Amino acid sequence: GVNAAQSVIDLLRVELHGGDLAAAEQQAREDYDFLARIGETYYLSTTAALLSRVVRDQGRDEDALVFSNAAEQAAAPDDFESQALWRSVRAPIVARQGNPVQAEELARTALSIVGDSEAPHLKADALSELASVLAIAGKVDAARCIANEAIELYKSKGCTFACNRLTEWVGRL
């Protein structure tokens, strides 16, 4: 049922921090399809946004946009997590498509949505996505600064994988 399907949100979060993205995608698609089939939108919006990131992180931007659009359509206006996620996941894709201004606007809006929340991991993820957008746009110093802010948040939460991954990325800038 819905309770079982919504557990895929936790699976996706774990797998995004160093797991098997292809396996996570396969399992998440089944739960996503079930939620979509029954017309459930509360969990669907977050599942779609996280699935979008899993697909994007495997190098499939166009497929990721499909899930990002589904998340946008399903997300309630007051669902701050889903509202931030679909924007932050979509932002680097938009930047790679040659629209850095729109991409930065998406990423900064996502950051403002989670900025005052009690969810530092969401803020760190939003900062990380903004840093990616800034790097794609050639704003390397700003990207480095934003990424370092995300690294500090990841450190404060003990999220060593995300911290190490982002530290390596900053080193390559």
Side-chain angles (χ1 to χ4, degrees), residues 10-88:
D10 293 328
L11 169 91
L12 288 167
R13 285 187 179 123
V14 168
E15 296 298 337
L16 280 164
H17 290 286
D20 184 341
L21 296 181
E25 178 187 355
Q26 182 179 1
Q27 184 169 345
R29 280 182 180 263
E30 293 171 15
D31 291 326
Y32 170 85
D33 289 342
F34 169 75
L35 294 170
R37 190 171 53 255
I38 66 168
E40 196 290 329
T41 59
Y42 181 74
Y43 296 119
L44 180 76
S45 61
T46 305
T47 300
L50 291 170
L51 189 51
S52 177
R53 183 168 168 209
V54 164
V55 170
R56 183 202 68 193
D57 288 359
Q58 293 178 79
R60 299 186 347 254
D61 283 356
E62 291 304 316
D63 292 337
L65 282 175
V66 171
F67 289 108
S68 177
N69 288 329
E72 179 183 8
Q73 295 302 313
D78 62 345
D79 181 352
F80 78 94
E81 181 176 8
S82 293
Q83 291 289 347
L85 281 171
W86 72 257
R87 286 174 171 86
S88 64

Side-chain angles (χ1 to χ4, degrees), residues 109-130:
T109 300
L111 182 58
S112 72
I113 290 170
V114 296
D116 294 329
S117 74
E118 296 294 321
H121 66 285
L122 292 177
K123 183 175 181 181
D125 287 348
L127 285 165
S128 177
E129 299 289 3
L130 174 58

